[in-house]
Amino acid sequence: MSVKQALVYNVLSALMAYVGMLIGTAVGQYTHNVTSWIFAITAGMFLYVALVDMLPEMLHGDSEDHKRCQFGHFLLQNVGLLTGFGIMLLIAIFEDRIVLDFGF
């Protein structure tokens, strides 16, 4: 792939994110009983993308340094994943109480 093609595909990807945002905002604004389903699908998509990108690297990213302390590497990977899941769970549980007041 050439640099020009990569830039075009990157711009198209960024534009599709805005199109998706507009569609999601319109659907969420006019149908209030569907918003929980939209949040669930969005969270699932984020998890899928994150795991598809991270798991192969975690499984096949062995170097000589990591072979010496495989248990420590395994523990660190799992603590990182569980911390991320925990943060998302806390945000989901306390989303009604989160208030951002920047005072500008």
Side-chain angles (χ1 to χ4, degrees), residues 4-104:
K4 192 177 207 180
Q5 287 177 328
L7 286 173
V8 168
Y9 289 137
N10 194 13
V11 168
L12 285 175
S13 173
L15 289 176
M16 290 300 116
Y18 287 114
V19 170
M21 179 201 63
L22 291 174
I23 292 171
T25 303
V27 169
Q29 192 172 27
Y30 296 119
T31 57
H32 296 289
N33 56 354
V34 182
T35 54
S36 61
W37 288 98
I38 292 173
F39 288 147
I41 291 170
T42 303
M45 289 171 65
F46 273 112
L47 283 174
Y48 172 76
V49 169
L51 291 176
V52 165
D53 285 341
M54 285 192 310
L55 280 180
E57 182 64 30
M58 288 170 56
L59 294 175
H60 302 293
D62 294 336
S63 68
E64 290 300 320
D65 295 336
H66 295 144
K67 287 183 182 180
R68 286 184 285 177
C69 58
Q70 289 181 348
F71 181 73
H73 190 111
F74 171 77
L75 187 66
L76 185 63
Q77 288 175 346
N78 284 306
V79 166
L81 281 174
L82 291 174
T83 302
F85 291 153
I87 290 170
M88 289 189 303
L89 178 65
L90 288 173
I91 289 172
I93 291 172
F94 298 111
E95 67 181 336
D96 296 335
R97 299 180 195 164
I98 296 174
V99 176
L100 297 177
D101 185 21
F102 295 111
F104 291 119

